[in-house]
Amino acid sequence: MKRVLSIITLMLLVATLWAQSDSTITSGIAQDDTSIYDDVVYKAPNRNPIYYFGSPFASHFAELDFMIGNDLGAGITYTYLPEVWGGHITGIAGFTARWLLVGTDYRLSKPWTKSDWHMYGSIGFRHGTNNGTLLGTANRENIGFRPALEAGFRYGNIPHRGSFCMNSFKVGVLTDFQDIYVTLGFSFSIALLASTFFLLGLSY
């Protein structure tokens, strides 16, 4: 009986020692395996992650535009930007000319950011007179059509109603290859709020 107990005790001792040595070997192998992947370089995909995760941003933007330079004007821009690429159309009426432009928009922001930044470019034409005098008629000459280019940036606030952005702002540079103008655009909600404060200020 004592011999049987001695054999069982010896077997348990050997099993315990084997288990300890096996766990040590396994942990060593696991450490070695993980060290293999330390030198692996992971590269982000070339495509914008919006294509994989979806877009949390608005798709429709509408802004009141103001043109400042040798001529003054106001107009409207409508933009459709569903994911990364989109397009827009702009119409501006100035004292001396009318402008019509179409262009492309590119979303710079990633889906996890808290702000929505765009870069845009437009091509179109202006039609009207020269800019000899802003409000008068002296030195006015009908120059017909002239090509026009515009480029700028837009900022859109992420909270939006459905797919329509309620708060956006853009700034750009517009040229007809003769003069350079600064363009500013505000979403209808911001423009309406600013107009309200302006009118309230005039009333007092």
Side-chain angles (χ1 to χ4, degrees):
M1 185 69 178
K2 291 182 179 180
R3 181 176 298 178
V4 173
L5 290 175
S6 300
I7 293 174
I8 293 175
T9 303
L10 183 61
M11 291 175 61
L12 291 174
L13 181 62
V14 171
T16 302
L17 293 175
W18 174 259
Q20 290 179 353
S21 62
D22 182 64
S23 63
T24 303
I25 294 173
T26 304
S27 62
I29 294 174
Q31 292 177 357
D32 291 339
D33 288 343
T34 56
S35 65
I36 294 175
Y37 298 99
D38 291 340
D39 297 332
V40 177
V41 178
Y42 296 95
K43 295 183 179 180
N46 293 329
R47 303 184 71 193
N48 191 304
I50 287 179
Y51 290 118
Y52 305 102
F53 297 100
S55 174
F57 308 117
S59 301
H60 302 274
F61 302 82
E63 290 134 346
L64 292 177
D65 289 342
F66 300 94
M67 181 183 68
I68 304 171
N70 202 21
D71 188 15
L72 298 178
I76 297 176
T77 294
Y78 168 72
T79 303
Y80 177 62
L81 186 58
E83 290 181 324
V84 178
W85 290 96
H88 67 270
I89 182 170
T90 300
I92 299 176
F95 287 101
T96 63
R98 305 293 184 265
W99 305 72
L100 181 63
L101 303 105
V102 295
T104 302
D105 295 70
Y106 177 75
R107 177 168 273 131
L108 300 171
S109 299
K110 302 299 187 290
W112 49 79
T113 58
K114 296 182 178 181
S115 57
D116 189 14
W117 286 97
H118 313 161
M119 179 173 60
Y120 66 87
S122 310
I123 184 171
F125 63 88
R126 59 157 286 183
H127 179 267
T129 62
N130 66 4
N131 298 333
T133 303
L134 185 60
L135 298 177
T137 58
N139 299 324
R140 290 285 183 89
E141 178 186 358
N142 191 344
I143 59 174
F145 292 94
R146 185 183 295 275
L149 293 176
E150 183 187 15
F153 294 91
R154 176 187 295 104
Y155 169 79
N157 200 9
I158 287 185
H160 49 84
R161 183 174 299 172
S163 59
F164 191 86
C165 182
M166 301 302 296
N167 301 308
S168 63
F169 167 79
K170 71 186 183 79
V171 58
V173 177
L174 174 65
T175 180
D176 61 352
F177 300 96
Q178 180 178 359
D179 297 301
I180 297 177
Y181 307 86
V182 175
T183 57
L184 300 173
F186 304 91
S187 63
F188 284 111
S189 58
I190 295 178
L192 180 60
L193 183 63
S195 300
T196 302
F197 280 111
F198 179 73
L199 294 175
L200 288 175
L202 291 179
S203 63
Y204 286 101

